[in-house]
Amino acid sequence: MTEKLDIDHLRQWIGRSTEATDIVTAQLVKGLRATLFQDVGEPKTGDAAPFTVHWCLAQPVFPMSMLGPDGHPTRGGFLPPVPLPRRMWAGGEIEFLQPLQVGDESTRTSRIADVQVKTGSTGTLCFVSVEHSISSPRGIAIRERQDIVYREMTSSAPVTAKAPPPPPRAQHRETHVSDPVLLFRYSALTFNGHRIHYDRDYVTRVEGYPGLIFHGPLQAALIIEMAAKLRSGRAPKKFTYRGLQPLFEGTEFSVNANETGDGMELWTANAEGQPTMKGTAVW
């Protein structure tokens, strides 16, 4: 049984902060380029890294004895101890000020910005918003807000009752396959122990999903790189996004974009063409 959720207690975490540093190495950049379907090349000091390389940097490291049954660290510490068992990356907003480069020492300062409880189709939801500032020797490179959602465990994955709308049409589209090796590589690059991305027995038997789940950040990273490619390599000034539904292993998926004047509407979609993540980018 899930422990009772005490929102007043959880909101005491608002304002807590932490800081961590890491180095943007050539090997990390090669691994991330390969995972984002880019030319690997031989990155050298001063070369620009993929725009979301900061999601691979200075990730929290905990001993095995401090991990919970889902592979995440046990609750508490910097993040509030939300008692709901399922944790997912719901979305967020990123401001790109300047690229991180190979050889940079990067510092991430993080702060709990908000904790809210809502009710959805799957029951109680708790949203934790975390603000990050990522800097390099040249100053602030990225400002970001991440929205993490915690929810109750159900016997099966949520099902949409009504028929989905027709898939949107895209002016620009790339297709890939959600291969388990791709998911494993991204988990390794981000030191993400969440078992829903690599442990098929756990995700199907315990969490009730039909297969391994594609990372939300990896979808967002592919969207951002596509947007930049369509704008001569320039990252958007601001990218806002949210997850819509899970994307599973073993299927074709697409990364899509439509021009909207000074911006773009972007999304990933499953094999049926239904969006799994949506975002907007402005330059």
Side-chain angles (χ1 to χ4, degrees):
M1 180 177 293
T2 301
E3 177 187 344
K4 179 176 171 56
L5 195 154
D6 184 346
I7 185 60
D8 291 332
H9 175 63
L10 298 177
R11 287 183 64 82
Q12 292 177 19
W13 263 254
I14 295 175
R16 294 195 183 193
S17 63
T18 186
E19 188 173 281
T21 61
D22 204 346
I23 304 293
V24 182
T25 67
Q27 184 67 16
L28 172 61
V29 169
K30 288 174 70 174
L32 187 55
R33 284 178 178 174
T35 305
L36 297 179
F37 305 102
Q38 299 176 345
D39 291 335
V40 175
E42 291 295 337
K44 298 178 176 57
T45 299
D47 288 353
F51 295 111
T52 57
V53 70
H54 63 288
W55 287 338
C56 304
L57 296 171
Q59 293 301 310
V61 177
F62 293 86
M64 294 296 294
S65 60
M66 292 182 65
L67 300 183
D70 62 355
H72 275 308
T74 50
R75 308 298 167 89
F78 171 62
L79 289 172
V82 179
L84 302 174
R86 273 184 171 163
R87 170 180 163 179
M88 304 288 283
W89 193 319
E93 183 175 276
I94 312 175
E95 294 180 73
F96 293 101
L97 306 178
Q98 56 178 302
L100 292 171
Q101 300 174 359
V102 175
D104 281 349
E105 180 177 84
S106 172
T107 299
R108 184 186 66 242
T109 303
S110 306
R111 173 184 174 274
I112 305 296
D114 198 11
V115 181
Q116 294 187 15
V117 173
K118 300 179 181 179
T119 301
S121 60
T122 58
T124 302
L125 305 171
C126 184
F127 290 87
V128 178
S129 293
V130 185
E131 293 176 345
H132 302 283
S133 176
I134 296 93
S135 64
S136 75
R138 296 172 299 283
I140 296 176
I142 296 167
R143 293 192 183 97
E144 178 181 11
R145 187 197 77 248
Q146 292 176 4
D147 299 324
I148 303 167
V149 63
Y150 299 80
R151 64 184 183 87
E152 298 172 283
M153 189 72 74
T154 55
S155 58
S156 61
V159 177
T160 302
K162 59 183 180 180
R169 294 188 177 185
Q171 296 170 341
H172 308 281
R173 186 170 184 260
E174 296 178 353
T175 60
H176 305 286
V177 174
S178 177
D179 186 279
V181 177
L182 174 68
L183 306 187
F184 174 81
R185 281 185 161 194
Y186 196 73
S187 287
L189 284 167
T190 56
F191 202 68
N192 182 354
H194 200 182
R195 292 169 67 175
I196 64 173
H197 303 304
Y198 61 86
D199 187 336
R200 190 173 292 108
D201 282 347
Y202 172 83
V203 77
T204 56
R205 296 180 181 180
V206 177
E207 300 222 5
Y209 289 102
L212 300 177
I213 298 176
F214 202 100
H215 309 70
L218 179 51
Q219 293 183 65
L222 291 167
I223 288 173
I224 290 166
E225 293 293 342
M226 181 181 189
K229 183 165 61 176
L230 293 171
R231 290 296 174 93
S232 303
R234 294 184 296 118
K237 291 181 180 177
K238 183 179 290 186
F239 175 66
T240 305
Y241 65 102
R242 63 187 178 94
L244 302 176
Q245 61 176 312
L247 175 62
F248 297 104
E249 65 167 314
T251 61
E252 183 179 88
F253 71 97
S254 60
V255 187
N256 307 271
N258 283 334
E259 303 279 354
T260 59
D262 63 346
M264 289 183 195
E265 298 287 340
L266 302 121
W267 68 97
T268 47
N270 59 24
E272 291 73 41
Q274 295 301 319
T276 56
M277 174 177 286
K278 280 188 175 182
T280 58
V282 294
W283 279 262

